[in-house]
Amino acid sequence: MIPPTTPPTKHRQAFDDAFARCPLIAILRGVKPDEVETIGDALVAAGFTILEVPMNSPDPLDSIARLARRFEGRAVVGAGTVLRVEDVAAVGAAGGTLIIAPNANVRVIAAAADKGYVALPGIATPTEAFAALDAGAAALKLFPAEAASPAVLKAMRAILPKDARVLPVGGIVPEVMADWRKAGAAGFGLGSALFAPGMSAADVGARATKFIETWQAG
């Protein structure tokens, strides 16, 4: 974990600011470059400030570049499913500053942190969580949340550093958010319940609004 005495990089500061405004990550798995800006418009209009394009989407780097240009200063953008160290530089070259993964590959985490990017690795155990923080993770993605529970998160929160942010990802819908928040969730990653290939921007916007309203209601 980045020591408190270390000044945050500009990308980390931008992420922290965006997270403070809305700690919900929009996961756009399967999005296509020719639709990503319209969908991004709907999400940002609803209040989202963190956008993720998984690397197993069609032409993900093109989509990331389009989002980074369109929402500069309004949202932070990056890649999900980043599994290889060499992908870190590719995402950065496209304008992405978030390196999100389903696993806790300490080499990928360290590569992102070394470049000043924001690493959000996936973890499922305390061992993975501490290793990820030590490697430079800015936050932790509890994944898949369907295989865990609020009780598991509560137990982890009892031993993790107080400032470690844990975001359940996988199967999150508005109806379950309150239980996870009570257990210590700092935010959420939202996938198919927010966006799925073939959905219109209007539908994505409506779902985004529901998530935002649920979060704001506590």
Side-chain angles (χ1 to χ4, degrees), residues 56-210:
N56 55 357
S57 301
D59 300 315
L61 297 177
D62 187 3
S63 288
I64 289 168
R66 292 175 185 236
L67 290 175
R69 287 193 300 267
R70 190 173 189 88
F71 299 110
E72 183 177 3
R74 292 190 288 158
V76 293
V77 177
T81 319
V82 181
L83 304 177
R84 306 182 303 168
V85 169
E86 51 265 38
D87 289 336
V88 173
V91 172
T97 60
L98 305 180
I99 304 298
I100 304 174
N103 60 336
N105 184 328
V106 294
R107 293 177 62 243
V108 170
I109 299 166
D114 287 346
K115 290 181 178 296
Y117 301 145
V118 178
L120 282 81
I123 61 97
T125 67
T127 298
E128 292 175 341
F130 281 108
L133 292 171
D134 287 345
L140 303 173
K141 167 180 166 178
L142 180 60
F143 179 81
E146 298 101 322
S149 67
V152 169
L153 175 58
K154 183 177 180 180
M156 283 192 181
R157 288 255 38 111
I159 58 170
L160 289 173
K162 298 291 186 185
D163 61 347
R165 293 172 288 194
V166 182
L167 290 73
V169 180
I172 301 300
V173 294
E175 292 76 15
V176 305
M177 291 170 68
D179 288 342
W180 282 106
R181 289 187 73 177
K182 290 175 185 175
F188 296 94
L190 307 172
S192 59
L194 176 64
F195 167 83
M199 287 179 59
S200 70
D203 286 342
V204 175
R207 294 189 181 198
T209 298
K210 176 64 174 177

